[in-house]
Amino acid sequence: MAEEQKEMSFLGHLEELRWHLVRSASAIFIIGILLFIFQKEVYEYFLLAHRKPDFITYQVFCDFFNFLGLDSTFCNVKFNDNLISLKPTQQLMNAIWSSLILGIILAFPYLLWELWRFIAPGLTEREIKNSRGFIFIASFLFFCGIAFSFYVIAPISIHFLYNYQITDLIQNNFTMDSHIGLVTNMLLGISILFELPVLIYFLTKIGLVTPEFLKKYRKHALVVVLILAAIITPPDIASQVIVAIPILILYEISIKVSKMVIKKQLKDAQKSPRI
């Protein structure tokens, strides 16, 4: 009988998980449909915004480099050719796929909330109390990553890649799929990278990471960050520093977060009654 109740409880959890997934998928599809309806505005003002010479980041970088007394190609941004579509269905499928990806991005806080609703019943009151800001903090970091990617990483990368040419014998003719894929991958990749403090929080909670470990490998992390910055930015020091600084700040924040978790665990251990 107990085994049957245990099995029913397990099936009940599966049923509950199913409905959480259904509601999450529904939110993504609803937002995706709305974005698809306004696809022209989404493409012109968001996904293709970096192809406009008057994009705000190009102007800011131009003024910044001029202030330093350095010449910069950001002061003369040009995109001569339009993107091309090679298949009859390419624009339609790209619009559908992009709407779903942006739907995931915009629905991210709700997806976290559904995840929290599924996990919360298995937590103690103290754990629930200590984790109340999880959705806000994780969402805030996620959208900070979106903003950083959209206004810094994407324009720098697109400007460099569009103007990179080995020889005049090779002509750059980019498809819409390659451009939209580049933008959406950067948006998702950088936003997930900005979740580093949240990831370190949970890894510290389960004992896989300590502040000492993060401090010990700080120099290694610095090298990795600089390599990543060199890969995704033009080959000039100023652009690499602009990209590397926020990531390094996140790493230092992660160390502080790990310290706080360890300190909290030691404090709770001292308060718990000894047998």
Side-chain angles (χ1 to χ4, degrees), residues 163-176:
N163 290 279
Y164 181 79
Q165 194 170 12
I166 298 175
T167 172
D168 292 337
L169 298 177
I170 302 176
Q171 184 179 1
N172 289 331
N173 289 317
F174 301 112
T175 65
M176 63 171 297

Side-chain angles (χ1 to χ4, degrees), residues 19-229:
W19 282 108
H20 284 296
L21 294 176
V22 168
R23 287 191 292 267
S24 298
S26 299
I28 294 172
F29 278 110
I30 291 172
I31 296 175
I33 290 172
L34 292 175
L35 293 173
F36 184 80
I37 293 173
F38 297 98
Q39 58 184 277
K40 182 178 180 179
E41 290 76 11
V42 171
Y43 272 74
E44 290 186 355
Y45 298 108
F46 189 74
L47 294 175
L48 299 177
H50 308 102
R51 285 181 51 85
K52 299 179 180 179
D54 60 348
F55 188 69
I56 184 172
T57 302
Y58 301 141
Q59 300 177 13
V60 171
F61 281 1
C62 176
D63 295 338
F64 173 72
F65 287 119
N66 286 337
F67 175 77
L68 296 178
L70 301 174
D71 294 331
S72 174
T73 55
F74 288 110
C75 297
N76 188 28
V77 177
K78 291 182 180 179
F79 296 98
N80 298 323
D81 299 324
N82 291 328
L83 298 173
I84 59 176
S85 177
L86 299 177
K87 301 177 182 178
T89 60
Q90 190 169 32
Q91 293 194 51
L92 175 61
M93 297 306 299
N94 188 273
I96 294 174
W97 183 245
S98 298
S99 297
L100 289 177
I101 293 178
L102 295 180
I104 294 174
I105 291 174
L106 294 179
F108 185 75
Y110 180 77
L111 301 181
L112 287 179
W113 185 64
E114 286 291 347
L115 175 64
W116 172 251
R117 289 181 61 193
F118 177 72
I119 296 176
L123 301 177
T124 64
E125 292 184 3
R126 176 179 293 182
E127 289 173 333
I128 293 176
K129 182 179 179 180
N130 293 336
S131 305
R132 283 178 179 174
F134 163 72
I135 295 177
F136 173 78
I137 294 174
S139 299
F140 175 75
L141 291 173
F142 184 84
F143 286 111
C144 283
I146 293 293
F148 181 68
S149 177
F150 183 77
Y151 287 106
V152 180
I153 301 293
I156 290 177
S157 301
I158 289 173
H159 172 64
F160 170 69
L161 294 173
Y162 269 69
N163 290 279
Y164 181 79
Q165 194 170 12
I166 298 175
T167 172
D168 292 337
L169 298 177
I170 302 176
Q171 184 179 1
N172 289 331
N173 289 317
F174 301 112
T175 65
M176 63 171 297
D177 273 353
S178 61
H179 178 90
I180 302 302
L182 178 65
V183 173
T184 53
N185 288 338
M186 282 190 290
L187 289 174
L188 287 175
I190 299 299
S191 60
I192 292 174
L193 183 62
F194 267 60
E195 295 294 326
L196 180 62
V198 177
L199 176 63
I200 294 299
Y201 173 83
F202 287 106
L203 291 179
T204 305
K205 287 280 287 185
I206 61 178
L208 291 180
V209 170
T210 63
E212 291 74 21
F213 175 85
L214 295 174
K215 289 179 180 179
K216 179 180 178 181
Y217 291 97
R218 180 189 274 124
K219 294 181 179 179
H220 301 78
L222 174 61
V223 173
V224 172
V225 169
L226 292 177
I227 292 174
L228 289 174

